[in-house]
Amino acid sequence: MDASQLVREYLLLGLRFDRLVEGFVDAYTGDPALRRQVADEPRPRPAALAARARELRAELPGAELAEDRRRFLDAHLVALECSGRKLAGEDVPFVAEVEAYFQVRVTPGDTDLYREAHAELERLLPGNGPLADRIAAFRARDEVPPEKLESCVLALSSALRDRVRGQYGLPAEETVEYQVVTDKPWSGFNYYLGEYRSRVAINADLGHRMANLPHLVAHESYPGHHTEHCRKEAGLVGGQGQDEQTIFLVNTPQCLMAEGLADLGLHAVVGAGWGPWTAEIMADLGLRMEGELAERMEQALGMLHGVRQDAALLLHDRGADPDEVVAHLCRWLLVDERRARQMLRFLSDPLWRAYTTTYVEGYRLLRAWLEARPSGESLGERYRRLLDEPLVPAVVREELAAAVSPLAAGSGPSPLAADPA
């Protein structure tokens, strides 16, 4: 099978999964005739899709593909085979399922690290009463009034877009439309429409905070999902003919890469001082934000990101009762029961149950990789590779290991220590 035929079969396979699970195809900007072909076919059988993924993997060595494309397709076919097996009713252990999807093997977090984060939060918010109550009070002060949510999102989007255009470049015609929605299991969602256009939905149910919004807008739009889609459509697809990049599939390695780079978006384009930077934008809208404190708070709370993955392991690997999972989230993540149950809803969704790993492990891996960049390479140059190249977690891990190994023999600290999360 030649390369173009193999890629075509990969696209058809991904589209067929969407016939079984609505939303499995997060975005598709390829040949519409392929989507029409799949829509006219009988509903596929999951076991047949798993078998087809194995067949295509076996064809990869004979296809004339560059190594980066071969590794990308191989990793994604492994993930699709696992999805097919799961949908066919096969009992795949949760940790093995996550590894097949995202090329990471998850383990429970370190409660000593969580206690360290709690101690730092105690220092930042001194006073009487439970720490969770003091955090709740701070978050209440930081909350965006519902009537100003859209204007805050648009102001942050404009400021971040200017920075991304100057630092990375974007197609002149790119655009993002924002919509405020309710009753969703997530806080925000990017619907990439192709031709450099996105629709970003913001879930108003969660009560967004000023400290959260710049991360959310950076994540969904600039320089996160929208920017990545635009640059890959222009470069990998339009410039290099890598048509496998016209489809974005849930529960595949590209999700871990995309969520990791999106979670690092604000770090890449604003960096230290993002709290006061955001406070200035909020002030123009008549809102008072404790920018410096908010930034320090978010840094401490970042040490607790692993709690969400712990909750997924409790629920799906250890068979814990949902109430036990909620209690774990409340205790270690210092959230109220309402927010914990919203998280449980996401963790319980059949499509999204493994997805929390993409945020937790994606951030950890890519933050360490960014910090381990070669001498003389800027953060922006390193981050641009995430936007432009068809990287998968295994490749990033290999590059990171190669960068860290020489340092281990010297006297300097390992870049892996740069991120406490």
Side-chain angles (χ1 to χ4, degrees):
M1 188 181 299
D2 66 25
S4 61
Q5 179 65 20
L6 192 147
V7 169
R8 182 178 185 276
E9 291 298 317
Y10 168 73
L11 296 175
L12 287 169
L13 179 63
L15 292 168
R16 287 169 182 142
F17 270 96
D18 204 53
R19 290 285 309 276
L20 297 178
V21 181
E22 184 180 358
F24 196 95
V25 173
D26 182 82
Y28 178 66
T29 59
D31 184 354
L34 295 186
R35 191 185 280 278
R36 290 194 297 269
Q37 174 183 329
V38 170
D40 291 338
E41 295 173 349
R43 181 180 172 87
R45 294 183 299 106
L49 297 186
R52 186 57 175 155
R54 287 192 296 272
E55 292 168 359
L56 292 177
R57 278 194 77 205
E59 294 279 356
L60 271 174
E64 293 186 0
L65 287 164
E67 180 65 8
D68 58 349
R69 296 182 69 187
R70 187 196 65 77
R71 293 195 68 169
F72 178 91
L73 286 165
D74 184 74
H76 288 74
L77 289 168
V78 168
L80 291 178
E81 180 188 353
C82 183
S83 286
R85 290 163 54 205
K86 285 284 297 178
L87 290 169
E90 185 173 333
D91 184 17
V92 180
F94 181 70
V95 173
E97 177 188 357
V98 170
E99 186 171 16
Y101 292 161
F102 307 125
Q103 295 190 321
V104 294
R105 192 159 187 87
V106 297
T107 57
D110 183 354
T111 53
D112 286 341
L113 180 66
Y114 302 159
R115 290 188 180 93
E116 181 184 336
H118 289 189
E120 175 62 16
L121 291 165
E122 289 274 9
R123 288 189 288 271
L124 292 172
L125 293 176
N128 299 320
L131 175 60
D133 290 349
R134 280 175 272 154
I135 291 176
F138 172 80
R139 286 173 166 156
R141 297 197 304 271
D142 193 53
E143 194 161 315
V144 177
E147 69 275 11
K148 291 200 171 185
L149 177 59
E150 186 172 3
S151 59
C152 288
V153 166
L154 292 175
L156 288 165
S157 180
S158 178
L160 287 166
R161 183 175 186 251
D162 288 345
R163 286 183 174 237
V164 169
R165 278 188 168 277
Q167 191 166 353
Y168 300 109
L170 285 167
E173 62 269 41
E174 66 81 26
T175 185
V176 177
E177 172 195 354
Y178 292 93
Q179 293 181 339
V180 177
V181 300
T182 58
D183 193 30
K184 299 295 181 182
W186 33 256
S187 59
F189 204 100
N190 176 290
Y191 298 92
Y192 189 65
L193 308 175
E195 298 180 343
Y196 315 124
R197 297 174 297 116
S198 286
R199 183 175 73 251
V200 171
I202 306 292
N203 185 5
D205 288 344
L206 300 185
H208 290 279
R209 297 179 292 110
M210 289 178 276
N212 164 261
L213 275 186
H215 292 279
L216 182 61
V217 175
H219 183 108
E220 302 297 344
S221 302
Y222 304 107
H225 296 323
H226 171 71
T227 301
E228 181 192 7
H229 280 303
C230 286
R231 289 188 63 88
K232 284 188 166 76
E233 183 176 349
L236 293 182
V237 179
Q240 300 180 38
Q242 296 190 21
D243 286 348
E244 63 271 22
Q245 298 296 329
T246 62
I247 197 167
F248 193 99
L249 301 167
V250 170
N251 292 331
T252 63
Q254 66 190 144
C255 297
L256 185 139
M257 296 298 300
E259 301 300 352
L261 79 85
D263 269 355
L264 286 158
L266 196 64
H267 171 67
V269 298
V270 180
W274 65 262
W277 176 84
T278 304
E280 290 186 11
I281 294 173
M282 296 297 105
D284 289 341
L285 298 169
L287 299 174
R288 181 182 179 276
M289 175 186 174
E290 300 167 78
E292 185 176 344
L293 176 59
E295 183 169 344
R296 295 172 66 189
M297 287 277 296
E298 292 301 311
Q299 184 175 3
L301 289 166
M303 298 167 68
L304 302 175
H305 283 171
V307 175
R308 296 176 295 164
Q309 185 162 269
D310 296 346
L313 286 167
L314 281 172
L315 188 65
H316 301 303
D317 185 56
R318 301 185 180 179
D321 182 90
D323 288 341
E324 182 183 345
V325 177
V326 168
H328 182 85
L329 288 166
C330 291
R331 177 187 179 187
W332 292 113
L333 207 52
L334 301 169
V335 295
D336 59 24
E337 183 176 347
R338 172 180 166 272
R339 186 58 184 263
R341 292 202 177 276
Q342 175 75 9
M343 294 178 183
L344 179 66
R345 180 185 176 190
F346 186 77
L347 293 170
S348 302
D349 188 285
L351 180 61
W352 302 110
R353 68 183 216 134
Y355 205 81
T356 290
T357 288
T358 65
Y359 304 107
V360 177
E361 301 295 342
Y363 181 91
R364 285 174 177 167
L365 176 64
L366 299 189
R367 178 64 185 262
W369 180 80
L370 287 174
E371 296 299 331
R373 61 188 180 273
S375 176
E377 182 179 52
S378 70
L379 174 63
E381 290 171 326
R382 185 75 151 179
Y383 189 84
R384 185 179 288 110
R385 289 190 59 198
L386 299 175
L387 297 173
D388 291 354
E389 297 181 23
L391 297 171
V392 293
V395 170
V396 172
R397 193 175 300 109
E398 290 167 11
E399 290 192 12
L400 182 57
V404 171
S405 295
L407 292 174
S411 59
S414 165
L416 287 170
D419 176 35

PDB file of all heavy atoms in Angstrom, residues 149-161:
ATOM      1  N   LEU A 149     -18.755  38.295  31.420  1.00  0.00           N
ATOM      2  CA  LEU A 149     -17.934  37.170  30.993  1.00  0.00           C
ATOM      3  C   LEU A 149     -17.512  37.309  29.535  1.00  0.00           C
ATOM      4  O   LEU A 149     -16.330  37.184  29.196  1.00  0.00           O
ATOM      5  CB  LEU A 149     -18.691  35.856  31.210  1.00  0.00           C
ATOM      6  CG  LEU A 149     -17.987  34.581  30.737  1.00  0.00           C
ATOM      7  CD1 LEU A 149     -16.644  34.399  31.437  1.00  0.00           C
ATOM      8  CD2 LEU A 149     -18.879  33.360  30.965  1.00  0.00           C
ATOM      9  N   GLU A 150     -18.453  37.581  28.667  1.00  0.00           N
ATOM     10  CA  GLU A 150     -18.122  37.650  27.238  1.00  0.00           C
ATOM     11  C   GLU A 150     -17.157  38.780  26.938  1.00  0.00           C
ATOM     12  O   GLU A 150     -16.191  38.605  26.176  1.00  0.00           O
ATOM     13  CB  GLU A 150     -19.393  37.803  26.406  1.00  0.00           C
ATOM     14  CG  GLU A 150     -19.132  37.746  24.911  1.00  0.00           C
ATOM     15  CD  GLU A 150     -20.411  37.711  24.094  1.00  0.00           C
ATOM     16  OE1 GLU A 150     -21.507  37.782  24.677  1.00  0.00           O
ATOM     17  OE2 GLU A 150     -20.312  37.586  22.854  1.00  0.00           O
ATOM     18  N   SER A 151     -17.356  39.955  27.540  1.00  0.00           N
ATOM     19  CA  SER A 151     -16.457  41.079  27.262  1.00  0.00           C
ATOM     20  C   SER A 151     -15.052  40.798  27.782  1.00  0.00           C
ATOM     21  O   SER A 151     -14.057  41.198  27.152  1.00  0.00           O
ATOM     22  CB  SER A 151     -17.006  42.372  27.866  1.00  0.00           C
ATOM     23  OG  SER A 151     -17.164  42.259  29.271  1.00  0.00           O
ATOM     24  N   CYS A 152     -14.945  40.100  28.920  1.00  0.00           N
ATOM     25  CA  CYS A 152     -13.626  39.738  29.440  1.00  0.00           C
ATOM     26  C   CYS A 152     -12.923  38.760  28.494  1.00  0.00           C
ATOM     27  O   CYS A 152     -11.723  38.902  28.215  1.00  0.00           O
ATOM     28  CB  CYS A 152     -13.755  39.121  30.830  1.00  0.00           C
ATOM     29  SG  CYS A 152     -14.196  40.281  32.136  1.00  0.00           S
ATOM     30  N   VAL A 153     -13.662  37.780  28.010  1.00  0.00           N
ATOM     31  CA  VAL A 153     -13.091  36.801  27.083  1.00  0.00           C
ATOM     32  C   VAL A 153     -12.597  37.504  25.813  1.00  0.00           C
ATOM     33  O   VAL A 153     -11.483  37.242  25.333  1.00  0.00           O
ATOM     34  CB  VAL A 153     -14.133  35.717  26.737  1.00  0.00           C
ATOM     35  CG1 VAL A 153     -13.688  34.897  25.523  1.00  0.00           C
ATOM     36  CG2 VAL A 153     -14.372  34.811  27.933  1.00  0.00           C
ATOM     37  N   LEU A 154     -13.396  38.403  25.284  1.00  0.00           N
ATOM     38  CA  LEU A 154     -13.013  39.082  24.044  1.00  0.00           C
ATOM     39  C   LEU A 154     -11.789  39.975  24.250  1.00  0.00           C
ATOM     40  O   LEU A 154     -10.909  40.046  23.386  1.00  0.00           O
ATOM     41  CB  LEU A 154     -14.186  39.904  23.515  1.00  0.00           C
ATOM     42  CG  LEU A 154     -15.388  39.088  23.011  1.00  0.00           C
ATOM     43  CD1 LEU A 154     -16.535  40.012  22.627  1.00  0.00           C
ATOM     44  CD2 LEU A 154     -14.999  38.203  21.831  1.00  0.00           C
ATOM     45  N   ALA A 155     -11.719  40.649  25.394  1.00  0.00           N
ATOM     46  CA  ALA A 155     -10.572  41.516  25.663  1.00  0.00           C
ATOM     47  C   ALA A 155      -9.283  40.706  25.792  1.00  0.00           C
ATOM     48  O   ALA A 155      -8.229  41.076  25.248  1.00  0.00           O
ATOM     49  CB  ALA A 155     -10.820  42.322  26.934  1.00  0.00           C
ATOM     50  N   LEU A 156      -9.356  39.589  26.515  1.00  0.00           N
ATOM     51  CA  LEU A 156      -8.179  38.736  26.663  1.00  0.00           C
ATOM     52  C   LEU A 156      -7.786  38.111  25.327  1.00  0.00           C
ATOM     53  O   LEU A 156      -6.597  38.022  24.992  1.00  0.00           O
ATOM     54  CB  LEU A 156      -8.449  37.647  27.695  1.00  0.00           C
ATOM     55  CG  LEU A 156      -8.508  38.116  29.149  1.00  0.00           C
ATOM     56  CD1 LEU A 156      -9.147  37.048  30.032  1.00  0.00           C
ATOM     57  CD2 LEU A 156      -7.105  38.454  29.660  1.00  0.00           C
ATOM     58  N   SER A 157      -8.776  37.711  24.550  1.00  0.00           N
ATOM     59  CA  SER A 157      -8.496  37.114  23.250  1.00  0.00           C
ATOM     60  C   SER A 157      -7.772  38.099  22.341  1.00  0.00           C
ATOM     61  O   SER A 157      -6.800  37.743  21.662  1.00  0.00           O
ATOM     62  CB  SER A 157      -9.806  36.652  22.599  1.00  0.00           C
ATOM     63  OG  SER A 157      -9.561  36.061  21.342  1.00  0.00           O
ATOM     64  N   SER A 158      -8.208  39.335  22.341  1.00  0.00           N
ATOM     65  CA  SER A 158      -7.578  40.346  21.497  1.00  0.00           C
ATOM     66  C   SER A 158      -6.127  40.585  21.906  1.00  0.00           C
ATOM     67  O   SER A 158      -5.226  40.663  21.056  1.00  0.00           O
ATOM     68  CB  SER A 158      -8.375  41.655  21.584  1.00  0.00           C
ATOM     69  OG  SER A 158      -7.757  42.670  20.818  1.00  0.00           O
ATOM     70  N   ALA A 159      -5.893  40.679  23.225  1.00  0.00           N
ATOM     71  CA  ALA A 159      -4.536  40.924  23.712  1.00  0.00           C
ATOM     72  C   ALA A 159      -3.615  39.743  23.402  1.00  0.00           C
ATOM     73  O   ALA A 159      -2.462  39.928  22.994  1.00  0.00           O
ATOM     74  CB  ALA A 159      -4.576  41.199  25.211  1.00  0.00           C
ATOM     75  N   LEU A 160      -4.109  38.531  23.597  1.00  0.00           N
ATOM     76  CA  LEU A 160      -3.290  37.350  23.334  1.00  0.00           C
ATOM     77  C   LEU A 160      -3.066  37.160  21.835  1.00  0.00           C
ATOM     78  O   LEU A 160      -1.975  36.772  21.394  1.00  0.00           O
ATOM     79  CB  LEU A 160      -3.952  36.106  23.930  1.00  0.00           C
ATOM     80  CG  LEU A 160      -3.904  35.996  25.460  1.00  0.00           C
ATOM     81  CD1 LEU A 160      -4.857  34.928  25.962  1.00  0.00           C
ATOM     82  CD2 LEU A 160      -2.488  35.711  25.936  1.00  0.00           C
ATOM     83  N   ARG A 161      -4.087  37.452  21.048  1.00  0.00           N
ATOM     84  CA  ARG A 161      -3.957  37.313  19.595  1.00  0.00           C
ATOM     85  C   ARG A 161      -2.857  38.226  19.060  1.00  0.00           C
ATOM     86  O   ARG A 161      -2.058  37.828  18.199  1.00  0.00           O
ATOM     87  CB  ARG A 161      -5.284  37.651  18.929  1.00  0.00           C
ATOM     88  CG  ARG A 161      -5.325  37.491  17.412  1.00  0.00           C
ATOM     89  CD  ARG A 161      -6.746  37.746  16.926  1.00  0.00           C
ATOM     90  NE  ARG A 161      -6.918  37.482  15.520  1.00  0.00           N
ATOM     91  CZ  ARG A 161      -7.095  38.414  14.586  1.00  0.00           C
ATOM     92  NH1 ARG A 161      -7.088  39.693  14.935  1.00  0.00           N
ATOM     93  NH2 ARG A 161      -7.294  38.081  13.330  1.00  0.00           N
TER      94      ARG A 161
END
